[in-house]
Amino acid sequence: MAHDNHDDLSKHVKTYMKIGGWLIFFTFVTVGLSFVELPTHGDNLLVGMALAAFKATLVGLIFMHLNHERSLIYKVLLFTLVFVVGLFVLIYLSGQNPLHFGGFEGVTPGH
Amino acid sequence: MSAATATLDHHGAHAHDHSHDHHELGFWRKYIFSTDHKVIGIQYGLSGMVFLLFGFFLMMVMRWTIAYPGEAMPGMMMLTHLPLVGEFFTGWVERWAPGGVVSPALYNMFGAMHGTIMVFFGIVPLGFAAFGNFVMPLQIGTVDMAFPRLNMMSFWFFFISGVIMFGSFLLPTGAVQTGWTMYSPLADTDQMGVKNVWMHGHTWWLLAMVFNISASLLGSVNFITTAINLRAKGLTWFRVPFFTWAMMVTSFLLLLAFPPLEVAALLQLADRVFDASFYLPTGLVDGGKHIDISGGGNPLLYQHLFWFLAHPEVYVLILPAFAIISDVLPCNARRPLWGHKLMIYAALTLAFLSFIVWAHHMYLTGMGTMMSTFFQITTVLISVPSVILLTCLMITLWGGSIRYNTQMLFATAFLPMFGIGGLTGLPLAFTFLDLFLHDTYYVIGHFHYVVAPGTIFALFAGVYHWYPKITGRCMNDFLGKLHFWPSLLFMNVIFGPMLYQGMIGFHRRWYDGGKYFEQVTSGHLWTNEVISFGAWGLALSQVPFILNVFISIKGGKKVTSDNPWGATTIEWAAPNIPPHGNFVTEPVAYRGPYEYSVPGAKSDFTPQFEADAGTPASQAAVAQAHH
Amino acid sequence: MEIPYTRTNRPDTGLFNAKIGIWLFLASEVMLFGGLFSSYIFLRVGADYHWPVHELTLWPGFVNTIVLIVSSVTVVMAWANLKMRKIAQYKLCMWVTIICAGVFMCLKAYEYNGKFHHIGVKLTDGTILTGHFPEEGYRVKLKGGSTVTLNLQTADPAYFLKWCVTPNPQFKTEAGQPQPLDQQGALMAFIDALVPGDHDSSSLGQLRRDAAAKDQKSVKLTATAPLEFAVKESKTFSHTATSITFRDGTVVEGASVEDKMTLQVDKVDVRSSLDEDKALAWHYLGDEWKKAFEEHSKEEAESHKKFDPRDERYLRHVKQMEIHAPTVAEHNTQHGGKHSAEAHAPGEEHAAGGHAAHYPEIVIDRKDVAFWSSFTPKWNTYYAIYFTLTGLHGMHVVAGALVLFYFLVFDGRRLKEDPEHLANRVEVGGLFWHFVDLVWIFLFPLLYLL
Ligand code: HEM
Ligand SMILES: [Cu+2]
């Protein structure tokens, strides 16, 4: 980034350290929460992944400067994201069959 | 300034240029470990052609046993009597084709390697890497790729991958035998009990693919960066020819679709070498014995990861063909490319959709009706942009004054051939028809129509078209026609009957051509012989081409202009046999890429790179470019 | 010839080449790890066994998370300092980053090593015992070895001789001639002797073809004195009560084959047992351990009352027990306060060997073992994806650290002459490094916690 001058940068350095601190803090939170048994294990997974996604966003935005990048980079990443999500969702769904009759509620165990 | 005078100027300036900036590279740096995009393009081109020919040889051997199962091959005996290598061939042939009769193992080996070599070592290196490397930087008017050393690395990764892949034929286990798709669990468990898993054809296949994929990834990063950041002055996005667009879209496909294949290969490697069970379900039995694995995996995972690549891959095979045709057709019809913008959007749509159709190869895996329906819809949708591309090219011909030189013959033949390939894909898109047609020769006919008389014809057109730029000489037109007409005939003799066989119920991958399945095939087995003779005929028809390529380097007609075809795109501004660094003066784009037969212009083509075209419109363009 | 835009941004795109290049590369990396993560989901959703949760030792993963976060901060600070031309700070930050990478990899090696030596055994009734083998590992033993049959096409005498325990084994052919097999080049001499005749070239292939022409497929040798073998199971193809077939086709016959597995047990898991009351494990471990297990179960069931008994979390606590001592009495005294079954994988911290003092040792009949493996990709799909993901991630750590090391140590001239270009390079290297951290942010909870 050609526009960064020295003052800006030393301010940035402080931000970097602060964000690093937060990331470590959230790591503790993640570990702690994994020992709390929420109603279902799925809830635990959800919370854990949400926290991880949040941490990843911090890294992306601040450390990788995605908070002020050129539109071209955003476009590339947007498509990549769409395809990864497609990969996840479609592979996951094709393992399930939504038209499959799973029995009446409470009758089939484990659902 | 006309193209002809431009030539003289160039050469004058060229000589001048040399005396200044003269640093001679040694032979090794200049031709072998070169960072020059043109040399790398030619390296890719030559190795791609050799691999393509080799893959074709494998197929001819397979066609023998399909047509004449159990009979000894006449040709094999000749190999074993060759001087020097004869001894080596004797051992190898004896092992895999005892008495010259193709063994089932050899058939499987050649089948798997034919697919692999044609797709990953033939078409992609030729269409994408060779033409892309040679033409694309010239066409956008720049000095080289953005990362020349990465470019060199890309080629050498490809080369290593080729060495590993071809070396695997010589292993004690032979090369891999489980189809180019390497479906698990068979591909996981096939010949598992060998002494050393690392010395196994399958392991080598997987390692070779890791190198091949890395090469493609490096190449595609390089292509996209170059196209984005190194375009010549004035070359705005919609002045960029469709060729470069198509190469860019192809790069994106490679960039984003190949990694999941890498995952598929790595997991299969783990299954084979580290005894993992990624693709192996619990309780798998082989040869009446429980296999010593944990199980718990799923073979469908492999198919998903594989086809997530392999469907976009078919567009990697076809887009460079469209790229080449979109330059050759307008040039020889002397008509602007119809719907340049439309084609760009169609290609982008095609690329996007190609990521969400992959499971149409998996209708019969029991993946669930909802998902089948979803993939059926997207598959039908994707034929829309394909048809748009084809239609634009056909409309381009309308009202043109067509020059039927060899490249134009190939280019025009491409249109109906690709058309047949695409149309035969449509029935496959529907689950209820695919139920019957899946894994039959119909599918083989379908995709070969797209790739063989489709893509390969386009590649030929490209060779004839850019040959003068590469060598400064033209290829012989008579030999060219002697190449084209028999090729067209035999291509159809080969792939036409396959569609018919498939509808009867001939299955793919039958080593005896279906002799054993009389109920289905009786009365139709003669078609196998027709196809096989077609294949051998096609081989003969390539002789004029091979002669033409080599003889014309020294003996072809010298071209007198840098722009012998009267084309409009920027690569024709470079001197023939462009030096390292390409252009004598930095080219500037003054207008769109396809200004053929512009009313009022002084000739029937107005190159992008010429400031003064003599029309009021071009004067305005010049004025604009200077602001 | 100079490539444009290596230092400065192109005006209309606002980017220099390497910046575009690295983001494109990262996009493909996203797809690579995306493919792996979706494999993880697919395998986990479809798993037909109890997916391990909280099974890995937590602390190395945790420390590594912190280490990577610190290195992420330092690498971006290195770039900022270089931009400001604070060279000393730049170098310091780079060194810290590289050292962090080193620490990360050391911990990784420590973790891997523990798993290579930790063994899981699945008995035929579905009960799982984990633990360690005694020093020499598990071997199939053959006593009174008398004859060896070598396949002429595939055999390699060195392959089976490696597992012969008897020193200096001697063989003779059926004709009664002595046949040495043990010295360098023995294979050639061996085959030479087998296929007598006039070999103009002593090429192996030729010899084998000669043998084939005579329809000779294999050859039988007799040991001059009884031999003893102790063979790694993975080197064998199969075995019967009196013979072992090696993977290269060699068959050794003897008086008896003994196939027993000694295991120092550190955990019992009856979640998949057909009948946990009559589980095979108790046949080997004895009633006292069974009683201890039942008590443990009752205790855990009490404190997990809120769960449905079919809930994975209930099963995880109630149907598994770690063992911490060689005898039940000692186990009970150590088993003081509430012990969390999931805080760490038992025994993984110890290096191989020396476990006999810590755990009960049992000898299992091989016929009672349905499947066994160390905690490597073979054990189950969880460990398979664990090793693939962390292994690939580890390679990225090494590659990233090497690149940064190169910029720091071998790019000194650029630092003097063209620091702006070097800053671009460090920025690009840093972007890759952050990506590596970003992947770990997902890996850590997925593999260690959830
Ligand atoms: C125009 C629209 C297209 C449609 C609707 C279409 C549809 C299909 C479908 C549904 C299959 C699976 C058939 C089966 O296995 O049962 C298939 C196979 C195949 N298609 Fe296409 N396709 C199209 C274009 C292309 C193009 C442009 C190419 C390549 C350049 C191509 C190459 C292939 C290949 C290689 C296979 C077979 C792969 C294998 O199983 O080994 N297709 N196509
Ligand atoms: Cu497809």
Side-chain angles (χ1 to χ4, degrees), chain B residues 305-597:
Chain B
L305 293 172
F306 180 83
W307 288 114
F308 187 87
L309 158 92
H311 188 84
E313 176 77 12
V314 306
Y315 292 98
V316 172
L317 300 177
I318 197 68
L319 276 171
F322 274 110
I324 292 167
I325 299 297
S326 75
D327 266 1
V328 174
L329 267 193
C331 176
N332 292 301
R334 314 309 290 163
R335 295 279 305 153
L337 185 68
W338 195 89
H340 178 212
K341 250 190 194 178
L342 183 62
M343 283 184 73
I344 293 169
Y345 285 124
L348 291 171
T349 315
L350 192 79
F352 182 83
L353 284 175
S354 75
F355 281 98
I356 49 171
V357 300
W358 79 81
H360 63 215
H361 297 272
M362 299 167 59
Y363 286 147
L364 265 67
T365 58
M367 119 190 105
T369 43
M370 265 288 270
M371 287 331 278
S372 293
T373 311
F374 173 83
F375 282 107
Q376 180 169 299
I377 292 169
T378 52
T379 304
V380 175
L381 275 182
I382 202 171
S383 53
V384 175
S386 319
V387 169
I388 291 178
L389 289 178
L390 194 62
T391 314
C392 288
L393 290 175
M394 289 205 276
I395 299 178
T396 302
L397 292 175
W398 190 267
S401 51
I402 299 176
R403 254 185 343 216
Y404 277 117
N405 46 24
T406 312
Q407 63 263 44
M408 188 58 172
L409 287 175
F410 276 111
T412 33
F414 167 86
L415 302 177
M417 293 297 109
F418 174 79
I420 295 175
L423 286 177
T424 49
L426 273 180
L428 297 174
F430 298 99
T431 45
F432 58 93
L433 282 170
D434 192 53
L435 194 62
F436 182 73
L437 292 173
H438 178 68
D439 263 355
T440 64
Y441 262 93
Y442 182 90
V443 177
I444 310 292
H446 151 65
F447 71 78
H448 279 93
Y449 257 109
V450 195
V451 196
T455 302
I456 294 182
F457 273 16
L459 295 176
F460 284 140
V463 173
Y464 288 96
H465 185 65
W466 279 291
Y467 197 86
K469 185 58 53 192
I470 302 171
T471 63
R473 290 167 193 269
C474 279
M475 285 174 80
N476 182 297
D477 209 43
F478 172 74
L479 281 178
K481 282 173 182 152
L482 199 62
H483 174 209
F484 169 74
W485 288 109
S487 293
L488 180 65
L489 172 74
F490 287 122
M491 283 283 188
N492 285 287
V493 170
I494 298 171
F495 299 117
M498 284 191 186
L499 298 171
Y500 164 77
Q501 285 189 331
M503 288 188 265
I504 294 169
F506 276 62
H507 235 249
R508 72 195 286 192
R509 293 176 184 165
W510 273 345
Y511 138 80
D512 62 0
K515 202 172 115 187
Y516 192 76
F517 291 83
E518 280 184 276
Q519 310 92 309
V520 176
T521 58
S522 72
H524 302 288
L525 278 173
W526 60 274
T527 50
N528 279 336
E529 287 177 55
V530 172
I531 295 174
S532 292
F533 274 98
W536 302 322
L538 185 63
L540 285 181
S541 342
Q542 303 316 305
V543 175
F545 174 70
I546 296 169
L547 290 178
N548 205 348
V549 166
F550 287 105
I551 293 174
S552 302
I553 296 177
K554 287 266 178 279
K557 199 173 81 210
K558 258 207 166 100
V559 288
T560 50
S561 157
D562 286 340
N563 191 357
W565 314 117
T568 51
T569 43
I570 295 176
E571 75 266 31
W572 301 103
N576 289 333
I577 321 183
H580 199 189
N582 293 346
F583 294 92
V584 179
T585 47
E586 199 182 313
V588 178
Y590 296 99
R591 60 185 67 75
Y594 304 108
E595 309 244 326
Y596 290 104
S597 308

Side-chain angles (χ1 to χ4, degrees), chain B residues 58-313:
Chain B
L58 301 185
M59 181 38 80
M60 287 195 288
V61 172
M62 293 166 71
R63 279 313 317 179
W64 172 266
T65 170
I66 291 173
Y68 305 108
E71 291 177 35
M73 272 178 297
M76 263 315 182
M77 301 302 107
M78 276 149 61
L79 280 183
T80 55
H81 288 120
L82 286 178
L84 300 175
V85 289
E87 154 87 357
F88 163 76
F89 273 115
T90 317
W92 201 86
V93 169
E94 205 115 291
R95 171 120 168 66
W96 297 108
V101 179
V102 177
S103 66
L106 186 70
Y107 180 85
N108 286 342
M109 202 154 100
F110 278 12
M113 291 301 266
H114 165 78
T116 305
I117 289 169
M118 288 311 214
V119 171
F120 298 109
F121 292 83
I123 305 281
V124 178
L126 273 172
F128 173 70
F131 281 102
N133 251 312
F134 190 91
V135 179
M136 195 269 281
L138 285 170
Q139 198 169 59
I140 61 170
T142 185
V143 290
D144 205 321
M145 285 285 192
F147 312 112
R149 263 174 305 171
L150 275 194
N151 206 14
M152 175 177 85
M153 227 161 94
S154 163
F155 175 75
W156 286 102
F157 272 10
F158 169 71
F159 189 83
I160 293 173
S161 125
V163 169
I164 299 177
M165 192 61 91
F166 286 84
S168 75
F169 277 110
L170 305 181
L171 292 174
T173 61
V176 67
Q177 297 173 16
T178 43
W180 84 283
T181 49
M182 302 297 151
Y183 274 5
S184 296
L186 179 64
D188 275 23
T189 56
D190 176 48
Q191 299 186 32
M192 267 253 256
V194 296
K195 214 164 46 180
N196 182 354
V197 274
W198 289 103
M199 296 302 281
H200 189 288
H202 195 119
T203 313
W204 283 35
W205 188 90
L206 292 166
L207 291 177
M209 284 314 289
V210 170
F211 276 101
N212 191 296
I213 293 168
S214 307
S216 295
L217 288 180
L218 291 181
S220 51
V221 167
N222 219 338
F223 271 52
I224 302 171
T225 310
T226 306
I228 288 176
N229 239 23
L230 301 188
R231 275 166 296 131
K233 231 198 295 168
L235 197 63
T236 54
W237 278 118
F238 285 110
R239 283 182 180 177
V240 171
F242 181 75
F243 180 95
T244 297
W245 270 101
M247 288 297 171
M248 216 165 68
V249 173
T250 309
S251 308
F252 266 107
L253 292 178
L254 287 174
L255 187 76
L256 300 181
F258 251 136
L261 180 73
E262 192 142 14
V263 173
L266 286 173
L267 300 193
Q268 202 165 66
L269 194 71
D271 275 4
R272 289 194 64 96
V273 177
F274 304 115
D275 296 326
S277 295
F278 284 115
Y279 305 138
L280 298 175
T282 307
L284 203 61
V285 171
D286 185 24
K289 241 174 84 174
H290 269 284
I291 303 179
D292 183 31
I293 50 157
S294 69
N298 192 333
L300 280 194
L301 177 60
Y302 177 80
Q303 293 199 21
H304 279 302
L305 293 172
F306 180 83
W307 288 114
F308 187 87
L309 158 92
H311 188 84
E313 176 77 12

Side-chain angles (χ1 to χ4, degrees), chain B residues 21 87 91 94 142-149 192-195 217 220-221 224-225 228-232 252 255-256 259-260 262-263 266-267 270 274-278 282 289 292-298 300-301 304-305 308 580-581, chain C residues 1-5 10 12-13 15-18 20-21 24-25 27-28 31-32 35-36 38-39 42-43 46-49 122 154-156 159 203 206 209 233 237-238 247-248 366 370-372 377-381 384-385 388 392 425:
Chain B
D21 189 18
E87 154 87 357
E94 205 115 291
T142 185
V143 290
D144 205 321
M145 285 285 192
F147 312 112
R149 263 174 305 171
M192 267 253 256
V194 296
K195 214 164 46 180
L217 288 180
S220 51
V221 167
I224 302 171
T225 310
I228 288 176
N229 239 23
L230 301 188
R231 275 166 296 131
F252 266 107
L255 187 76
L256 300 181
E262 192 142 14
V263 173
L266 286 173
L267 300 193
F274 304 115
D275 296 326
S277 295
F278 284 115
T282 307
K289 241 174 84 174
D292 183 31
I293 50 157
S294 69
N298 192 333
L300 280 194
L301 177 60
H304 279 302
L305 293 172
F308 187 87
H580 199 189
Chain C
M1 181 196 90
E2 175 128 15
I3 311 278
Y5 309 120
R10 180 182 165 114
D12 59 349
T13 59
L15 296 161
F16 55 90
N17 297 344
I20 303 181
L24 290 170
F25 181 68
S28 92
M31 295 307 290
L32 180 74
L36 282 165
S38 62
S39 306
F42 200 72
L43 290 170
D48 54 3
Y49 61 96
K122 193 165 149 197
T154 58
D156 169 4
Y159 194 75
S203 124
Q206 188 58 45
R209 275 198 299 284
E233 196 189 29
F237 209 70
S238 62
R247 282 215 167 199
D248 64 348
R366 183 62 177 84
F371 178 72
W372 73 272
K378 189 175 178 181
W379 177 235
N380 59 28
T381 52
I385 194 86
T388 312
L392 213 59
R425 294 181 132 207

